[in-house]
Amino acid sequence: MGAGTNYLNRLNDGRNVWLDGSVVTDIRTHPAFKGTVRSVATLMDLQDDPNTEAELTFRTDTGVKANMAYLIPKTQDDLFRRSKALKIWSDATFGVMSRVGGFYRSQLTGWYIARDLIKQEQPYFPQKIADYYTYVRDNDLLVTAAGHDPQIDRTKLAHELGDLYTALRIVSENEEGIIVRGAKMIATGAPYMDEIVVSPHSKKTGDEQRYAVMFAIAASHPGVHLICRESFASDRESDHPLSAHYDEMDAVLIFDDALIPWERVFVKDDPEAIWKIRSDRMVGALSLHENIVRLASKLEFTAAVGSELAASIGITRFAHVQEKLAELFFQLESVKALLLSSEHQAALHPLGVWEPALQPIITAKNLGNRYYPRALEVLQELSGAGMLQVPSTIAELDGELGPHLRKVYRGADRDAEERVKLLKLSWELAGSRLGARHELYERFYAGDPVRTYAGQYVEYDKQPLLDRVASRTV
């Protein structure tokens, strides 16, 4: 049985996925999910495809075939192997499915590598995270995460909101595990993932110990409800080529006094330990590396669409159009160069793994939350009102007015059908609900851009620069 079929079978597990006020009984057949679920299954099948299997998988010490995102980079070549696999995976969805790839798999791999980092504070953490890593790796499971508290009143810490049913916290413990109540957001892709890792995205204070908990659950865990946003999916593939396949659903998790077994509780009541493992440099570099591979795929796709838009109406010879297209290209080449710089500057970590250089990929991440919105703006500028002038369905080109429409919608270098398909694809990227979601995602998936920029300033090694200035002012 192939990886895709195994994945589809796993989804029939009674998970509480809520959409439009009711539970979705089978996400494999529901219109809001079936296109995305099939796309994920197709991705999984790439691991069994003779053309890609060797590049996407490796054999573990237990003899199991595992996804390359779980590979521990013990050599620099391993790092390059991971990068190539992540690129194949990202390209398969044009970079528009961000969490079905290897980000959280890579983060978990980093935690496994650094598992002894908080051994003194949390003596059970190393074995628990090792067991969990082996479990998801050897069973080829997809992993997402939820870390943000609900946006209720940012002037107050979680514990200051009283008894409101708000942020996730521990309410009691027993011999079986901990009982948790409250909410976490946003678990991108959670409705069709296998596993969800829950931990605070920001550092908790000493007064918030009961909120400082890190654990993992199956998506079907009892007492957990996955509350979905409005679906952007479409069953009209020809008219909505991205929405029909790649609506990466976002969900808020509601924990209704859910019991989390002790073996799945990695850290509890310890804000410092959680922040220490979450903010570890090596863990961050390994997971962020995947993000930038995906960003490169997405910018590559956007640049391709922009180039086709310009060619379709014969405007590529104009200097102001060439300037806009060049902007898309230098976005792409800048991110690719930073990615290569990170990989080639990788260094051997004291734990015996190759760590991508962090500053280049942090720079790429921070540029990305400005690059991508600008790339969409360029697509709009290249198209003008063209995206709004297409017929509501491609099928109309073969309808009663087809002969007239095929004249009206033809392009400089292509027939009407090809041009309308291109314009509909462009609209999916730059104007649709799905497109708006992606723009918002790229702006904020890593947190508040102001904070991430400030964080790069704080962490950047400025001393060599200051020494150069000092050498000229003495």
Side-chain angles (χ1 to χ4, degrees):
M1 189 179 297
T5 301
N6 281 331
Y7 163 73
L8 292 172
N9 290 339
R10 294 198 300 267
L11 294 177
N12 187 28
D13 57 7
R15 59 189 63 195
N16 289 317
V17 177
W18 290 79
L19 179 70
D20 300 333
S22 60
V23 175
V24 178
T25 55
D26 190 347
I27 67 171
R28 298 171 299 179
T29 58
H30 192 282
F33 298 98
K34 65 180 183 180
T36 302
V37 165
R38 289 172 184 167
S39 295
V40 176
T42 300
L43 272 177
M44 302 293 282
D45 280 336
L46 290 176
Q47 299 176 158
D48 297 321
D49 187 325
N51 295 316
T52 51
E53 179 181 9
E55 294 174 313
L56 291 179
T57 63
F58 70 100
R59 287 288 171 182
T60 71
D61 52 358
T62 57
V64 174
K65 183 174 71 174
N67 186 278
M68 196 68 74
Y70 293 119
L71 178 69
I72 297 171
K74 295 181 179 179
T75 68
Q76 192 170 21
D77 186 59
D78 285 342
L79 196 60
F80 296 141
R81 290 172 64 197
R82 284 178 53 89
S83 185
K84 186 173 184 179
L86 294 169
K87 184 64 163 59
I88 294 171
W89 199 271
S90 296
D91 283 351
T93 65
F94 310 101
V96 301
M97 290 191 71
S98 58
R99 291 307 187 229
V100 78
F103 178 79
Y104 289 115
R105 287 171 161 183
S106 297
Q107 186 178 66
L108 177 58
T109 301
W111 286 340
Y112 169 75
I113 296 168
R115 59 192 180 277
D116 288 334
L117 182 66
I118 57 173
K119 182 177 182 179
Q120 184 174 353
E121 303 95 322
Q122 295 286 324
Y124 298 107
F125 178 83
Q127 188 60 53
K128 287 183 178 182
I129 207 70
D131 290 343
Y132 185 66
Y133 162 79
T134 304
Y135 168 71
V136 296
R137 181 197 67 183
D138 290 0
N139 288 281
D140 196 26
L141 302 183
L142 295 173
V143 183
T144 189
H148 292 283
D149 293 339
Q151 295 179 339
I152 295 176
D153 184 348
R154 290 296 176 89
T155 67
K156 294 181 173 63
L157 297 175
H159 74 287
E160 295 174 329
L161 290 168
D163 293 328
L164 294 176
Y165 196 67
T166 53
L168 176 86
R169 70 274 194 195
I170 301 171
V171 294
S172 64
E173 303 176 17
N174 59 38
E175 60 183 15
E176 297 179 72
I178 60 173
I179 310 297
V180 295
R181 180 186 303 165
K184 278 292 181 186
M185 54 182 286
I186 288 179
T188 299
Y192 48 83
M193 291 286 183
D194 296 298
E195 292 280 323
I196 306 170
V197 176
V198 178
S199 66
H201 190 272
S202 56
K203 188 175 182 179
K204 294 299 181 183
T205 69
D207 293 327
E208 298 174 293
Q209 285 194 359
R210 297 269 85 177
Y211 297 82
V213 58
M214 179 182 184
F215 60 84
I217 56 168
S220 59
H221 194 79
V224 180
H225 304 278
L226 285 64
I227 315 301
C228 298
R229 59 157 168 79
E230 180 182 3
S231 172
F232 304 148
S234 172
D235 58 1
R236 292 163 48 189
E237 181 177 357
S238 59
D239 295 304
H240 303 285
L242 298 182
S243 301
H245 297 284
Y246 310 122
D247 181 21
E248 192 169 46
M249 180 60 77
D250 306 292
V252 173
L253 307 186
I254 303 293
F255 292 80
D256 189 7
D257 286 5
L259 171 66
I260 313 299
W262 284 118
E263 63 267 21
R264 288 295 194 100
V265 180
F266 304 136
V267 182
K268 75 174 185 72
D269 297 338
D270 195 337
E272 293 296 332
I274 290 179
W275 190 247
K276 188 175 181 180
I277 192 69
R278 280 194 59 96
S279 59
D280 179 69
R281 179 187 178 93
M282 184 273 297
V283 174
L286 204 59
S287 53
L288 185 56
H289 176 247
E290 186 277 339
N291 262 353
I292 306 309
V293 173
R294 180 198 58 81
L295 175 61
S297 287
K298 199 169 189 177
L299 292 176
E300 191 172 50
F301 181 52
T302 309
V305 172
S307 298
E308 286 291 282
L309 275 176
S312 72
I313 53 175
I315 59 174
T316 56
R317 64 189 179 90
F318 299 119
H320 71 285
V321 172
Q322 294 172 353
E323 178 192 30
K324 289 179 173 60
L325 292 174
E327 186 175 355
L328 297 180
F329 300 153
F330 79 61
Q331 285 186 353
L332 171 61
E333 293 301 323
S334 296
V335 168
K336 286 168 60 178
L338 288 164
L339 178 62
L340 287 170
S341 174
S342 175
E343 292 169 353
H344 283 274
Q345 292 185 69
L348 187 61
H349 190 277
L351 292 176
V353 299
W354 281 81
E355 176 186 355
L358 192 56
Q359 281 303 323
I361 49 178
I362 287 180
T363 301
K365 176 198 70 175
N366 285 336
L367 287 174
N369 62 41
R370 295 188 179 183
Y371 275 178
Y372 188 71
R374 173 55 187 159
L376 299 186
E377 186 178 14
V378 170
L379 294 188
Q380 294 167 354
E381 292 172 347
L382 291 170
S383 171
M387 296 182 198
L388 304 177
Q389 295 176 1
V390 294
S392 58
T393 66
I394 292 178
E396 293 174 60
L397 296 175
D398 294 319
E400 183 178 351
L401 293 179
H404 298 290
L405 299 182
R406 286 186 177 275
K407 292 179 182 179
V408 171
Y409 291 112
R410 69 187 186 279
D413 64 347
R414 65 199 71 198
D415 62 23
E417 184 172 344
E418 289 303 310
R419 181 160 179 255
V420 170
K421 286 181 178 179
L422 174 62
L423 288 170
K424 285 182 174 292
L425 175 61
S426 304
W427 177 253
E428 287 269 84
L429 275 175
S432 70
R433 295 183 300 168
L434 184 79
R437 183 262 177 198
H438 274 276
E439 180 178 358
L440 190 68
Y441 177 87
E442 295 297 344
R443 286 183 185 273
F444 294 107
Y445 79 87
D448 181 352
V450 172
R451 291 179 179 271
T452 60
Y453 272 64
Q456 183 167 13
Y457 163 76
V458 171
E459 296 296 327
Y460 194 86
D461 182 8
K462 298 176 281 294
Q463 194 57 50
L465 304 178
L466 299 177
D467 290 344
R468 292 192 67 184
V469 174
S471 71
R472 306 303 300 172
T473 57
V474 174

